[in-house]
Amino acid sequence: MLLLAALVPAKAQAQFEHLPDALQRAIESQRLPPDNVGLWVQRMSDGEVLARLNTDRLYNPASTMKLATSLAALHALGPDYTWTTEIWVTRPVRDGVLRGDLVIRGTGDPGMVSEEHWRMLGQLRQTGLRRIEGNVILDASHFELTAGSPSDFNDQPLRAYNQLPYALHVNANAQRFRVRPERRGNGIDVTVDPPLPGLDVVNRLQPTRGSCGGWQRGIRFHADPEAQRVTLAGEYPVNCGDYELLRSVVTPEANHAEMFRLHWAQWGGELTGDIRPGVLPVLYDEPILRHTSRPLSDLIRVSNKWSSNVMTRHLLLTLGARHSTPPATMEKGRAALVETLHGLGVGVDGMVVDNGAGLSRDVRMSAAQLGAILRAGWEHPQRPEFQSSLALAGLDGTLRNRFRNGSQRELRGRMHLKTGHLNEVSAVAGYVRTRGGEDLAVVVLVNDPRAHRGMGQNLQDAVLEWAHGL
C-alpha cells in the first residue's frame, strides 16, 4: 500500500480515509476521479457506517431518486391507498341510452393498463348503459401541469420513458410494436398492442438476411402523432427472429380515446358522438361508476422494479394533491416530498427533487441522503412493501440480466436494489444481505463523462461484491 499511496495525490488519500483498501482499488482500477464518486455502506443492525466517500457531496442520482418518492408515498398515502376514476353522465340513462355526455374524470391512476380499462368499461356496461348519443369527455384536470413536451429531456419524444404525466393515462401512453418474419421469410408482419382502432400503421419493411446487431435491427421508425400514423421501413434480417419496439406514437388524449373506442365496442357498447378533452360540469348527483385502482403497495413494485418514470411522476403529483389541495402540481409534489422526507429523519439540505423520478439533469442528492432514505425505509412499518418493491438481483426488474456469470452468481437473490442510468450518470442503491447474514444499505453514485460506458457498472459490481462478502 505504500507504493500505491505514493502514486495517489494527497487530496485523494484524504478522501479515501474512510474507504477500505479494496474499494479504493476498485475506484482507481476504473480510473475514476475520487471527486466523481459518492459512496455509502451502512450496517442496519447497529447503524455503523462501514465505508463512505464524499458522502455530503451532491450528485445526480438518476433513477435511484425513485427510492425517495416511493418511500414518501408509502408513508404519506399508506400502502392501501388507491386512485379513483369516476364516470359521470350529464343526463339520465333511459332504456340503456344516454342522450347526453359521458364524462370520465381521472385522478392519475398510475396502474391503469389495458386490462383495467377494459374491466372498467365492462362495469360501465353492467350499469345498463348501451348507447351514448352525446360525446365522451375526458377530464384530466386533476393534474395542473406547466407546458412541456416529451422531447424536452433528450429530444426523443417517442420514447415511452419520456412521457409526461396525464391524469387519464392508459398504459402510460405506450404502444408495443411487434415485428415478426413470416414463416417462410417472404415478408414481415407488424402488429400493435394494444390495437388502437384509429392508428394507421404503414409497413414498408423488406425481408433480408444479415447481422442482428444493427440499430433497431435496421428498422426506420417514424410517427406522426397528429395524423395518428406510424411508418416502419428498412430491411429487416429475417434470420434474427422477432423484435419489439415500445414507443408512444399518439397524444395521451388520443390514446385514451382510442382505448375507449376499442373496449367499448368489445363490450357491445355504441357511441355516436366524439371523444374530446373537457372538464366535468357542475353536477349534484353521484357518478354512474367509480373504478378503484390496485393499491399503492402493488403499484410501487412496478414503479421501482421496472423504473417507470411516468408512474413515479404520478406518485409525486398525488403526494402534492394529498398534502395540499387539488389540482395537483409539481410544486406541491416537491414540497410534500421534501417535508415527508424531513419528517422521516432524512436531511434535505441541498436536495433537488425536480420531477421525483430522476429523469433530469437538475436532480441532486448525496450518498448520505440516499443512505438515510434506505435507513428510514428499513425502520418503517412498511419496510416489507418498500424493500420488495426493489429489483431482486439477477432475477427481476432492471436487474434480471445481471449477476449471472462467475462469482457474481452468488449475488443473485441476495440484494434488493434500485438502479439509475443516464448519460454520464451511473447509480445503484438498496439492501445487500452479506454472507454472514447481516443486512447493509449500499449507495454508489458515479457522475463522470464515462460513467455510462461501463466504468460505473463495474464499480457498482465491485462494491456490491465487497459488501456481500462481509
Side-chain angles (χ1 to χ4, degrees):
M1 285 302 298
L2 291 178
L3 178 60
L4 181 62
L7 297 175
V8 178
K11 178 185 176 184
Q13 277 299 117
Q15 285 176 296
F16 287 144
E17 179 182 357
H18 301 288
L19 206 62
D21 291 346
L23 300 188
Q24 176 180 338
R25 290 194 297 271
I27 293 171
E28 292 166 346
S29 72
Q30 300 302 315
R31 299 184 178 181
L32 290 166
D35 284 349
N36 295 357
V37 179
L39 195 147
W40 179 270
V41 181
Q42 184 179 26
R43 189 162 53 218
M44 294 291 91
S45 59
D46 58 8
E48 181 181 355
V49 179
L50 306 179
R52 55 190 172 96
L53 176 66
N54 298 323
T55 53
D56 296 321
R57 185 187 293 269
L58 295 172
Y59 294 92
N60 186 324
S63 280
T64 60
M65 179 69 207
K66 292 181 174 71
L67 292 170
T69 308
S70 57
L71 179 61
L74 265 179
H75 180 75
L77 303 175
D80 59 343
Y81 182 85
T82 56
W83 286 259
T84 300
T85 302
E86 297 177 343
I87 299 183
W88 296 72
V89 291
T90 59
R91 296 184 65 182
V93 176
R94 306 290 188 192
D95 299 322
V97 178
L98 170 61
R99 293 182 174 85
D101 292 337
L102 185 87
V103 184
I104 305 176
R105 187 173 188 275
T107 58
D109 177 1
M112 181 63 81
V113 293
S114 294
E115 295 86 345
E116 288 290 321
H117 191 266
W118 178 84
R119 189 176 297 114
M120 179 177 74
L121 293 196
Q123 293 169 340
L124 179 61
R125 270 293 279 123
Q126 291 162 20
T127 66
L129 177 62
R130 174 181 52 82
R131 179 181 174 87
I132 304 167
E133 296 189 347
N135 297 318
V136 174
I137 309 300
L138 303 179
D139 183 351
S141 60
H142 188 75
F143 288 173
E144 184 178 286
L145 304 173
T146 56
S149 166
S151 64
D152 289 343
F153 177 68
N154 60 1
D155 200 30
Q156 296 286 329
L158 303 184
R159 294 290 183 169
Y161 63 76
N162 271 330
Q163 297 308 296
L164 301 180
Y166 175 64
L168 278 169
H169 262 319
V170 184
N171 298 322
N173 195 32
Q175 297 83 40
R176 191 175 301 275
F177 292 80
R178 292 190 173 94
V179 178
R180 176 173 297 171
E182 293 179 359
R183 183 167 296 180
R184 296 182 180 274
N186 297 324
I188 307 294
D189 290 329
V190 177
T191 58
V192 187
D193 183 18
L196 304 180
L199 181 63
D200 182 20
V201 179
V202 181
N203 178 7
R204 293 177 179 162
L205 292 172
Q206 297 296 318
T208 187
R209 289 190 173 272
S211 170
C212 303
W215 172 246
Q216 294 183 169
R217 292 198 181 164
I219 299 172
R220 298 195 302 274
F221 190 95
H222 175 75
D224 184 344
E226 295 303 320
Q228 294 187 198
R229 180 182 300 111
V230 174
T231 303
L232 291 85
E235 294 186 339
Y236 184 83
V238 295
N239 52 291
C240 298
D242 299 354
Y243 189 70
E244 290 188 354
L245 290 157
L246 186 68
R247 296 291 185 267
S248 296
V249 299
V250 295
T251 66
E253 295 85 357
N255 180 60
H256 195 127
E258 294 302 325
M259 293 296 293
F260 185 93
R261 295 184 196 280
L262 175 68
H263 290 154
W264 188 235
Q266 288 176 350
W267 281 106
E270 300 175 54
L271 170 65
T272 62
D274 294 327
I275 305 176
R276 56 180 176 80
V279 177
L280 178 70
V282 177
L283 298 173
Y284 300 96
D285 204 349
E286 286 290 305
I288 191 173
L289 177 69
R290 285 189 176 95
H291 177 81
T292 303
S293 74
R294 293 159 56 194
L296 173 63
S297 57
D298 282 356
L299 294 179
I300 63 167
R301 291 173 60 86
V302 180
S303 174
N304 282 340
K305 282 183 182 291
W306 297 100
S307 204
S308 171
N309 295 313
V310 178
M311 293 183 74
T312 309
R313 289 182 173 196
H314 279 218
L315 294 185
L316 185 71
L317 287 162
T318 303
L319 271 173
R322 171 60 70 91
H323 182 262
S324 184
T325 55
T329 67
M330 295 302 294
E331 291 74 18
K332 293 175 184 177
R334 286 189 281 263
L337 176 57
V338 169
E339 184 173 321
T340 302
L341 292 178
H342 180 72
L344 290 169
V346 178
V348 295
D349 289 349
M351 186 183 295
V352 180
V353 172
D354 200 358
N355 56 42
L359 189 70
S360 165
R361 290 296 173 189
D362 299 321
V363 63
R364 291 293 182 272
M365 187 179 289
S366 71
Q369 287 171 328
L370 258 177
I373 289 168
L374 290 171
R375 180 78 180 179
W378 189 262
E379 296 173 346
H380 200 275
Q382 271 74 59
R383 184 223 296 181
E385 288 76 18
F386 180 64
Q387 184 176 2
S388 66
S389 75
L390 308 185
L392 196 56
L395 298 178
D396 66 14
T398 58
L399 290 172
R400 64 197 181 282
N401 294 323
R402 283 177 65 176
F403 311 113
R404 292 191 168 190
N405 301 316
S407 62
Q408 289 189 344
R409 293 183 195 172
E410 189 179 353
L411 305 180
R412 296 184 69 196
R414 305 280 292 185
M415 304 180 292
H416 289 85
L417 303 172
K418 181 73 200 74
T419 56
H421 184 86
L422 297 172
N423 285 344
E424 303 187 0
V425 179
S426 178
V428 70
Y431 303 107
V432 174
R433 174 66 59 88
T434 71
R435 286 198 190 105
E438 293 278 4
D439 290 295
L440 311 179
V442 177
V443 178
V444 182
L445 301 176
V446 182
N447 287 189
D448 184 89
R450 301 171 302 143
H452 62 291
R453 300 180 186 274
M455 289 75 171
Q457 184 170 313
N458 291 342
L459 180 58
Q460 289 177 22
D461 291 351
V463 174
L464 293 169
E465 287 190 65
W466 173 85
H468 172 67
L470 294 177

